[in-house]
Amino acid sequence: MDMKMFCYQCEQTLGGKACTKAGVCGKDADVAALQDLLIHNLKGLAFYGQKLIERGEKINPTIQTLMVDGVFSTLTNVNFDPERFFTYNTKAEAYKQELRALVGNIEGEVPSAALYQSPNRVDLMIEDGLKFGIMADPSMNEDIRSLRELLIYGLKGVSAYAHQAAALGKTNEEVNNFFFKALNETLKDDLTVDALFGLNMELGQENLKVMELLDSVHTGTYGHPVPTKVAVTKKKGPFIVISGHDLKDLQMLLEQTQGTGVNIYTHGEMIPAHGYPELKKYSNLVGNYGGAWQDQQKEFDNLPGCVLMTTNCIQKPRPSYEDRIYTTSVVGWPGIKHIEQVDGNKDFSAIIKHAIELGGYTEDEEEKNILVGFGHNTTLSHAGAIIEAVKSGAIKHFFLIGGCDGAKPGRNYFTEFAENTPQDTVILTLACGKYRFNKIDFGTVAGLPRLLDVGQCNDAFSAIKIAVALAEAFECDVNDLPLSLVLSWYEQKAVAILLTLLSLNIKNILLGPSLPAFVSPNVLQVLVDKFNIRPTTNAEADLQSILG
């Protein structure tokens, strides 16, 4: 096989096996090599960092940031820019040497990743990256490789949430230190299935901590989300569509566009922002444009406005809008204008000026709305009514239907599942998977909307908090609640959330539309035996199986 790369970290990987020439996501072989090299460099950095952590020393915050953002940059649909990966690798090499000097003499064998010295030319980095990919050691035990990659992909998910919290000035030292511990463990020759499984469960707990931190900083900064109608129609005037997840970027953009006549639309996982009191107060936050990330190429085609991509979920821009899409933070695409942060601030004047020049929409559309804002604070404020409705039989079951969306066939399953849920049930949803059905009117039950939008993917913490509170109220285990989890996955944040759920011993999860290519048959069997994870099959049959 002519294998220029090997990547199977996302759900859309070619043939359900691996992308070996170019990524379905748009990643080319050179960028894949630079990403593989970066993970290798970060493993070497982790070796020395872990030595210092074990000695009770603290890691320089700048190095912690490079570790988190470097890992995040390799998550699916985040960064495709070779120049940016050259910079990340160069910094990782410099910091590795800095920590190496601090550690001093080391007794025992030092792994090759720690001794490796990265070249200072991008073409040479690409050559080296080809040596350090997933299949670099073809003799590695399949189950060890599976659990090792599961751990690394889980870290990529944790890094996304750690990055978002850091953008608002909050970090968790235990979580940041876990990056060094986990990557260092992957360098060991005596890895066992049990040890790696334990590390993956530990990662689930670290992800719970960082999601709780992010929830705290979001609600502490912007208030608790409240039920809010969001317009999903166009308004006359120039505009910017902001996509991704970063609420700080949205806040800065809203402030800088006040009084300019430029309207701001959220896109993708930004839609929950409308529920936060300190964001919804801006009159220029006028609505949500489009749906989930995978539809952006057709939705942004010849758009008479500008687009700002803040975290992940960028696709290859079409020529019709490549001049009007901007990136910021870790996001990158070759040749696309990038807005840097300077001293904690970002200057959005260029994209604002551009939006005004484009003119925007020439007339208003008839307004249509959907409802967001059912985080744990709002939902649990109705806990008494919900509990009574369950006891009286008015509410028979809860479904959490959400996760990452994608373009691969089979995702209509989640629409069909939601549409077929009985009228005496409640649907909780979160992440961009909600776009499969969030414009459908499901009506009400027991005085509540049947569809409750909990928020972004990181708001899985809210869903967990709601489930735990209900279990306490009914004096039972979460697994004994009339609650079913029907989850879609696409990239590595979903992996981290799944590991969190498993680390909490939550069972009977339905996962689809297909199972991860990086999970070996033996590892899958362990997950089935221990947690009764099941692949989605047919929406009607799965629903019947749940409800009996």
Side-chain angles (χ1 to χ4, degrees), residues 294-305:
Q294 78 277 0
D295 293 327
Q296 68 187 255
Q297 287 178 324
K298 65 180 181 182
E299 290 175 348
F300 297 165
D301 199 23
N302 291 303
L303 198 70

Side-chain angles (χ1 to χ4, degrees), residues 322-532:
E322 65 183 1
D323 67 323
R324 60 195 67 179
I325 186 169
Y326 293 69
T327 61
T328 191
S329 188
V330 293
V331 187
W333 192 279
I336 297 301
K337 294 178 284 288
H338 188 75
I339 298 171
E340 293 285 0
Q341 178 167 293
V342 180
D343 298 327
N345 294 307
K346 295 180 183 181
D347 180 0
F348 291 118
S349 58
I351 189 173
I352 294 168
K353 180 174 180 286
H354 195 171
I356 293 171
E357 290 170 351
L358 288 169
Y361 296 120
T362 56
E363 57 184 28
D364 291 337
E365 269 187 335
E366 183 181 352
E367 189 169 314
K368 296 178 182 177
N369 297 284
I370 57 176
L371 195 60
V372 303
F374 288 90
H376 59 83
N377 191 65
T378 290
T379 301
L380 291 177
S381 71
H382 297 281
I386 292 170
I387 291 164
E388 281 304 311
V390 173
K391 288 180 177 178
S392 71
I395 295 176
K396 293 282 201 309
H397 206 86
F398 297 87
F399 295 96
L400 175 59
I401 310 173
C404 304
D405 202 5
K408 193 173 178 179
R411 289 182 177 267
N412 57 318
Y413 166 95
F414 299 96
T415 309
E416 293 171 7
F417 194 101
E419 287 179 321
N420 282 292
T421 55
Q423 289 298 308
D424 55 4
T425 62
V426 173
I427 302 170
L428 302 169
T429 192
L430 49 78
C432 62
K434 69 164 103 355
Y435 282 104
R436 290 283 162 174
F437 47 80
N438 69 340
K439 293 182 176 69
I440 298 170
D441 183 3
F442 288 94
T444 61
V445 60
L448 287 171
R450 282 194 58 231
L451 179 65
L452 304 178
D453 187 342
V454 178
Q456 294 182 338
C457 52
N458 48 275
D459 289 313
F461 173 75
S462 260
I464 290 168
K465 194 162 183 176
I466 292 166
V468 169
L470 289 175
E472 289 174 355
F474 287 108
E475 298 181 348
C476 67
D477 185 82
V478 170
N479 292 312
D480 297 323
L481 287 171
L483 168 68
S484 299
L485 278 64
V486 186
L487 305 181
S488 56
W489 83 281
Y490 173 74
E491 37 88 327
Q492 298 82 61
K493 287 182 291 180
V495 173
I497 291 169
L498 179 63
L499 290 173
T500 294
L501 295 172
L502 299 184
S503 74
L504 293 169
N505 198 37
I506 293 176
K507 300 180 178 180
N508 306 313
I509 296 170
L510 275 168
L511 185 66
S514 61
L515 294 177
F518 53 83
V519 173
S520 68
N522 288 336
V523 170
L524 177 60
Q525 194 58 52
V526 169
L527 297 178
V528 170
D529 292 343
K530 190 172 180 63
F531 302 106
N532 197 31

